[in-house]
Amino acid sequence: MSGTFVGMPAFPAAARDAVHDPTLRATLRHATHTIRDKRARAVAELPDWQRLREAGKRVKDHTLRHLDRYLLQLEESVVLAGGTVHWAADADEANRIVADLVKATGEREVVKVKSMATQEIGLNEALAAEGITAYETDLAELIVQLGHDRPSHILVPAIHRNRGEIRDIFRAEMGAWGRPAPDGLGDSPAELAEAARLHLREKFLRARVGVSGANFMVAETGTLVVLESEGNGRMCLTLPETLISVVGIEKTVPTWRDLEIFLQTLPRSSTAERMNPYTSMWTGTADGDGPSVFHLVLLDNGRTDTLADEVGRQALRCIRCSACLNVCPVYERAGGHAYGSVYPGPIGAILSPQLRGTTSEIDASLPYASSLCGACYEVCPVAIDIPEVLVHLRERVARQGGPGHRVEKAAMKAASWAMDRPAVLAAAERAATRTRRLHLARLPGAGAWTAERELPRIPEKSFRDWWKEREE
Amino acid sequence: MRVALFVTCVNDALYPATGIATVRLLERLGVEVDFPPAQTCCGQAQYNTGYRHETEPLVRRMGTVFEGYDHVVTPSGSCAAMVRENYPRIARRAAAEGRGDGLGAIADSLVPRVHELSEFLVDVLGVTDVGAYFPHTVTYHPSCHGLRTLGLGERPRRLLEAVRGLELRELPGAEECCGFGGTFALKNPDVSAAMGADKADHALATGAEVLCGADSSCLMHLDGILRRRGSPLRPLHLAEILAATEGEPHV
């Protein structure tokens, strides 16, 4: 089963393993640098990229400001088109709704198109507890599921696995889930894809219930939209009799026309493609075409709380392209698992602590999992100022206190006090220079710094003392 | 033209040579520089660690200290970015929380007057050839805040390219963060050191003698890594290179 992230250690400890795993580091570096370079080329092709970015930001901000109104309009449109709408305040409620809907069909298995919302709420585990098996059909999700693993990237959940590892997982695990891997399976991309195709085809043709997420929901028409690359989504959305879509409320856009922006910015930002191979749209139900029963579960799970925070709410603009992960130097070294959430990387560092709160050790550490270099903000196609939100959340964590923060708060207050008194600062500098020959290169107390770095040398004289002597 | 030097707390206490070089360079270009001794720190460390309230008195101090100067020059991209990007933000939040008195005016007044050194040289003084002489191979690391928040662009490189005797070598992955990030280096030591190690590797691969930057805190972090390795590659602030001349070479 794809495990959950409960009880994760804080980010610095979780990141340490990845930092010291040379294979993982090399795999991640290669993958993120390849996608980042391709993305830069795909974006550079559009002369109006900055305007598209601004337009996307504005549409999302407008929708979020009036989300109550647009959600009601969406509900009305979906119902009018023959669908049923369910409102879920949290993960438990959403899981219960989906489990009851599946049980009502009498089925014991569902096929899933990659959906982060269902991972966020742990739907697969909740269904398993009710005796229902959920089959992931996205290739990377399949690898993660068969490997009893957790996703580590928004777009490429198995980015931490190389081809050899994937072949081994297929050989060892496919048989327990359905059609086994072909004899003598090699590790070429074509062979691995064919093995997954054969394995999954059986599931698509047998399944009578599909579960999906959505990239967008159009309020005026009640249309849901999924963008994907492999065609598995198209299979899950059209073959089953019953389709259940679980979608975060922030995925709403007001009008059909708004898609014009995001269908340009999302593929280029995520897979560096001008257009993604499959864009599937469904509006309620239609006789003799696709599922005859359609349920939409609208998921809150911390989103309205996030909406109430005027700085933090911009995180809800996210269209899950993962461009920020691919340029993040911290993600590149720490890997996705260290973030302890289905949302890793810079966006995860601001989304998870807002959706889940900052009470757990991992959530309190996430706002600090960044050097604030700003590369994430620069590439974000909806201009989320991730560094701004990180600092804002650090303030929240610092205020709430906890281990380490009492000492830190005292130190910060002392620093501000001294920095507001130039004479105190000058005296401290003089004390440091007078004792400079006594300073050790590796301080026992500064272990974190000196483990792999020398401390700076204290100069003979501060600048202000040089200036003072010069003026005299 | 009344010009003040904002030397920054890191340069004042740890890298006075950067401040001294900035003064010599500006005076050579005919600028009369003042150093108001009541200056201390821009508050970046406190702000970025989540102590916004503790930053407010330092914003006020910056406002008072640099009142009346036409330009405030600083040899630190990240400190200039702190003023330009975050002072208006701090003022807005304080006002919203009922502590606004005067902070907004201070921010509005400081933002257009605070310049990072290369901005001041290129944009205000209009020079790219500052008459420097530095006969060494140099590779340049554009620190994140200078690169992204201030948008320094080609300014530092154009200044370096005009230095006589200097051979500029491309730094692979130049736009990637060195891993310092203020308290990030303390809170996430493993990731920070891994980022620094990669930056050091890239710089060493250029074969340059000098690793130049315009932010002493990034250089401090990289210097710590390079010295631990016993590497001969020498981190040096842009100001020190630009201050060097045939008559007064850098030692």
Side-chain angles (χ1 to χ4, degrees):
Chain A
M1 268 305 124
S2 57
T4 54
F5 294 92
V6 178
M8 282 283 296
F11 183 84
R16 195 167 299 133
D17 293 341
V19 168
H20 298 293
D21 178 345
T23 312
L24 178 63
R25 284 272 300 275
T27 305
L28 274 175
R29 180 173 177 80
H30 177 73
T32 54
H33 280 252
T34 305
I35 313 176
R36 109 172 43 161
D37 295 345
K38 281 169 69 182
R39 177 212 156 266
R41 284 196 295 276
V43 163
E45 284 182 352
L46 291 184
D48 58 347
W49 180 259
Q50 288 308 330
R51 290 176 61 203
L52 280 167
R53 188 176 186 242
E54 184 60 26
K57 173 189 170 183
R58 284 188 189 189
V59 167
K60 281 280 183 176
D61 275 350
H62 167 84
T63 318
L64 290 170
R65 261 201 314 278
H66 306 285
L67 193 58
D68 49 348
R69 175 153 64 82
Y70 285 118
L71 283 170
L72 290 176
Q73 189 189 3
L74 175 74
E75 179 182 39
E76 199 180 306
S77 307
V78 169
V79 170
L80 207 64
T84 309
V85 175
H86 310 260
W87 298 79
D90 56 23
D92 287 344
E93 193 175 2
N95 287 333
R96 201 169 52 243
I97 292 168
V98 178
D100 286 348
L101 289 170
V102 178
K103 280 195 279 188
T105 66
E107 292 297 312
R108 281 282 169 261
E109 55 184 45
V110 302
V111 286
K112 285 181 67 195
V113 48
K114 183 188 168 196
S115 151
M116 306 206 71
T118 60
Q119 286 168 356
E120 176 189 320
I121 60 178
L123 178 66
N124 290 10
E125 292 77 7
L127 290 177
E130 302 274 352
I132 299 162
T133 310
Y135 295 109
E136 295 292 347
T137 67
D138 173 273
L139 176 56
E141 287 294 334
L142 176 70
I143 294 163
V144 168
Q145 187 174 44
L146 292 177
H148 311 278
D149 200 356
R150 293 186 307 252
S152 68
H153 190 278
I154 286 175
L155 188 81
V156 199
I159 195 169
H160 57 290
R161 297 289 199 184
N162 63 36
R163 291 188 339 220
E165 290 175 303
I166 295 168
R167 179 203 53 206
D168 295 343
I169 291 170
F170 279 8
R171 280 181 176 175
E173 303 287 342
M174 264 185 174
W177 288 77
R179 185 183 175 122
D183 288 337
L185 176 67
D187 69 355
S188 74
E191 278 178 280
L192 294 173
E194 184 60 13
R197 196 194 314 274
L198 293 169
H199 179 82
L200 289 172
R201 189 59 58 109
E202 291 188 356
K203 301 205 174 341
F204 290 134
L205 294 173
R206 198 173 64 215
R208 302 179 64 171
V209 180
V211 173
S212 89
N215 293 94
F216 304 99
M217 303 186 287
V218 182
E220 70 170 352
T221 58
T223 304
L224 274 69
V225 187
V226 156
L227 279 66
E228 42 117 9
S229 299
E230 298 165 12
N232 62 304
R234 181 71 54 90
M235 299 284 234
C236 290
L237 295 166
T238 51
L239 288 173
E241 289 163 15
T242 300
L243 174 61
I244 305 166
S245 300
V246 183
V247 190
I249 52 175
E250 82 283 13
K251 295 293 182 86
T252 313
V253 295
T255 69
W256 180 265
R257 195 179 165 184
D258 297 323
L259 294 175
E260 166 197 5
I261 303 160
F262 303 110
L263 293 183
Q264 295 182 75
T265 52
L266 180 50
R268 284 181 199 257
S269 299
S270 55
T271 50
E273 289 166 304
R274 291 170 181 150
M275 189 182 174
N276 50 293
Y278 294 86
T279 302
S280 300
M281 299 177 168
W282 64 105
T283 310
T285 57
D287 287 341
D289 182 14
S292 52
V293 180
F294 170 57
H295 294 277
L296 171 59
V297 181
L298 290 171
L299 178 70
D300 187 324
N301 206 32
R303 284 160 175 78
T304 44
D305 289 343
T306 306
L307 206 52
D309 185 311
E310 63 169 312
V311 178
R313 71 169 66 127
Q314 58 184 306
L316 296 179
R317 290 207 293 260
C318 177
I319 55 173
R320 311 283 189 263
C321 71
S322 75
C324 62
L325 277 64
N326 299 327
V327 295
C328 179
V330 176
Y331 175 88
E332 182 186 323
R333 273 96 187 169
H337 289 156
Y339 293 81
S341 159
V342 61
Y343 305 111
I347 185 65
I350 62 168
L351 203 50
S352 307
Q354 294 200 86
L355 295 180
R356 304 193 296 208
T358 46
T359 49
S360 77
E361 205 190 343
I362 180 82
D363 286 317
S365 72
L366 287 177
Y368 299 93
S370 166
S371 63
L372 305 179
C373 83
C376 49
Y377 178 31
E378 191 176 53
V379 297
C380 178
V382 282
I384 301 169
D385 192 339
I386 294 176
E388 182 192 11
V389 182
L390 285 166
V391 169
H392 174 69
L393 293 174
R394 288 175 186 188
E395 194 183 323
R396 185 186 297 181
V397 174
R399 209 180 321 121
Q400 109 197 350
H405 287 285
R406 244 189 309 277
V407 179
E408 181 182 276
K409 187 167 191 174
M412 287 297 170
K413 271 191 187 295
S416 285
W417 183 84
M419 290 301 185
D420 209 16
R421 286 161 183 80
V424 173
L425 177 62
E429 283 168 359
R430 270 173 220 133
T433 51
R434 265 200 307 274
T435 58
R436 58 195 285 267
R437 299 202 185 283
L438 306 173
H439 288 224
L440 303 167
R442 301 175 196 205
L443 287 182
W449 180 273
T450 54
E452 292 175 68
R453 280 165 290 215
E454 298 290 319
L455 284 170
R457 296 185 176 111
I458 305 290
E460 286 176 38
K461 197 182 289 176
S462 72
F463 176 83
R464 70 178 62 236
D465 283 347
W466 174 82
W467 180 270
K468 200 173 158 198
E469 283 171 25
R470 186 176 181 257
E471 295 294 286
E472 278 161 7
Chain B
M1 182 165 74
R2 293 195 67 213
V3 176
L5 169 68
F6 170 43
V7 79
T8 80
C9 57
V10 169
N11 286 322
D12 182 17
L14 295 173
Y15 297 100
T18 299
I20 295 167
T22 307
V23 172
R24 289 205 170 121
L25 168 66
L26 292 174
E27 287 179 348
R28 193 174 78 218
L29 295 170
V31 179
E32 202 180 313
V33 194
D34 194 14
F35 175 79
Q39 64 176 281
T40 54
C41 163
C42 67
Q44 185 178 192
Q46 288 94 328
Y47 181 77
N48 280 353
T49 314
Y51 296 86
R52 176 169 55 87
H53 288 200
E54 284 76 2
T55 318
E56 288 170 14
L58 301 180
V59 175
R60 289 188 198 283
R61 170 162 294 279
M62 290 282 286
T64 312
V65 166
F66 294 114
E67 202 173 2
Y69 289 97
D70 300 309
H71 301 285
V72 181
V73 185
T74 181
S76 164
S78 70
C79 300
M82 170 69 187
V83 173
R84 205 170 301 169
E85 181 98 337
N86 294 326
Y87 277 22
R89 222 170 240 169
I90 291 164
R92 259 200 318 275
R93 300 287 311 276
E97 292 162 16
R99 294 186 315 281
D101 50 314
L103 275 184
I106 291 171
D108 288 348
S109 161
L110 277 172
V111 166
R113 289 187 294 130
V114 168
H115 314 275
E116 184 274 337
L117 176 62
S118 71
E119 276 180 329
F120 182 75
L121 295 172
V122 176
D123 299 353
V124 180
L125 298 184
V127 291
T128 46
D129 185 349
V130 297
Y133 172 71
F134 190 78
H136 299 282
T137 48
V138 174
T139 191
Y140 178 72
H141 167 58
S143 294
C144 301
H145 294 166
L147 182 74
R148 299 196 180 87
T149 314
L150 297 180
L152 293 183
E154 291 297 299
R155 290 180 186 85
R157 291 174 47 99
R158 279 167 57 203
L159 288 162
L160 285 171
E161 277 163 6
V163 173
R164 274 181 310 116
L166 186 149
E167 186 198 323
L168 192 60
R169 298 206 174 153
E170 281 307 316
L171 178 66
E175 74 293 345
E176 285 173 35
C177 178
C178 71
F180 175 62
T183 45
F184 173 75
L186 296 169
K187 286 181 180 281
N188 285 283
D190 295 270
V191 178
S192 165
M195 289 160 67
D198 288 348
K199 182 62 72 180
D201 286 343
H202 285 149
L204 286 165
T206 65
E209 299 160 70
V210 169
L211 170 58
C212 174
D215 238 309
S216 291
S217 33
C218 306
L219 294 176
M220 171 178 76
H221 164 70
L222 293 169
D223 181 52
I225 288 168
L226 289 164
R227 275 196 288 131
R228 173 61 56 87
R229 292 186 185 183
S231 156
L233 179 63
R234 203 157 48 116
L236 210 53
H237 194 282
L238 176 69
E240 293 186 69
I241 293 177
L242 298 182
T245 60
E246 249 156 314
E248 279 183 285
H250 189 273
V251 284

